[in-house]
Amino acid sequence: MIYLLFKIVFTEMALILTLLFRNPLRKFVIMGLDRLKRGRGPLVAKSVGATVLVVLCSAVYSAMEIQRRAREGGAINPTEEVLMANLLLQASLMGFSLFLAMITDRLHYYIKELHLVRQTLEGLKNLNKHS
């Protein structure tokens, strides 16, 4: 699961970098995101996001339970230390993945709005030239 989460985080980071800087892939990424946001895409994205959020809460709760047992019992065995580290890594990767997904969504929205404003401004400039 950790390898999958690392792949998701690095893919989202690459997607954000593609959206931030002008390059040949930016247009295709924007078109792909436009298509993903049509039809059932938003419903699927919200369902996946909610599922990841529930798993994130579960991992955080499990880590808190291990920590509570360590406080009550005094010492913690090595197995629980490894489990705690694994849970914290999973939780941090899931949280970061959700954050990057939100950043990607907002970047896409702002790029689309900027494009519409530029088109409107170009139209007004052309209208003023011909008048």
Side-chain angles (χ1 to χ4, degrees), residues 94-113:
M94 282 186 272
F96 198 55
S97 174
L98 288 172
F99 177 73
L100 289 177
M102 186 179 65
I103 295 296
T104 303
D105 181 54
R106 291 289 90 196
L107 267 174
H108 176 252
Y109 174 76
Y110 290 138
I111 288 171
K112 293 294 286 182
E113 284 295 317

Side-chain angles (χ1 to χ4, degrees), residues 5-6 15 28 31-32 36 43 58-59 62 68 71-72 90 100-101 114-116 119 121-122 127-129:
L5 289 171
F6 271 117
L15 188 67
F28 295 115
M31 286 174 29
L36 282 175
L43 179 65
S58 172
S62 298
R68 182 185 55 82
R71 264 190 260 132
E72 288 175 0
Q90 283 181 2
L100 289 177
L114 183 64
H115 184 67
L116 290 174
Q119 281 183 342
L121 192 60
E122 292 267 333
L127 186 64
N128 284 339
K129 280 185 182 177

